[in-house]
Amino acid sequence: MHELSLCMRISGIVDRAAEGRPVAVVHLQVGQLRQVVPETLRSCWRLVAEGTPLAGSVLDVESVPVAATCRDCGHVTTIEQALILVCAGCDGTALDITTGEELLLTALDLAEV
Ligand SMILES: [Zn+2]
């Protein structure tokens, strides 16, 4: 399962970053091109964290919309649902994806000790 293996990788990173300090919230940015379901990611996190020092911590998933910049007119088009890569400014198709591929651990909130 995609989300489960992601969570295992994230927990490894968080473990190292926290250096044994208790973690309350893990903030993650996930681009919509990653095809990750935030709800599934959060429940996998609970499974992965169980029985580890990360048990009880919450995975906060921020979904980043897909946006692309037109090479012809510079217009930034946000692609909502259908992945049709056409510039909203000039109907051009020479677009560079600028966001939507993120998988970033943005912050850790440490628990009060
Ligand atoms: Zn354009």
Side-chain angles (χ1 to χ4, degrees):
M1 198 154 99
H2 184 54
E3 278 86 354
L4 192 58
S5 61
L6 262 179
C7 280
M8 286 159 99
R9 274 168 47 202
I10 296 164
S11 76
I13 296 165
V14 171
D15 252 349
R16 280 195 298 276
E19 296 174 324
R21 293 166 296 180
V23 175
V25 187
V26 178
H27 297 275
L28 194 72
Q29 272 190 352
V30 182
Q32 285 175 357
L33 284 178
R34 291 280 177 170
Q35 313 242 313
V36 167
V37 183
E39 198 44 58
T40 311
L41 202 57
R42 278 192 291 267
S43 39
C44 286
W45 180 257
R46 281 192 291 273
L47 283 178
V48 169
E50 208 175 79
T52 77
L54 295 173
S57 65
V58 175
L59 190 65
D60 176 59
V61 184
E62 186 195 340
S63 200
V64 181
V66 181
T69 305
C70 179
R71 281 182 218 160
D72 295 325
C73 73
H75 188 90
V76 177
T77 303
T78 305
I79 295 114
E80 293 294 336
Q81 278 166 348
L83 275 177
I84 305 165
L85 287 175
V86 176
C87 174
C90 70
D91 286 339
T93 52
L95 301 179
D96 291 319
I97 301 284
T98 43
T99 67
E101 292 176 311
E102 291 85 351
L103 185 64
L104 292 175
L105 190 68
T106 52
L108 288 181
D109 293 348
L110 299 175
E112 301 288 330
V113 192

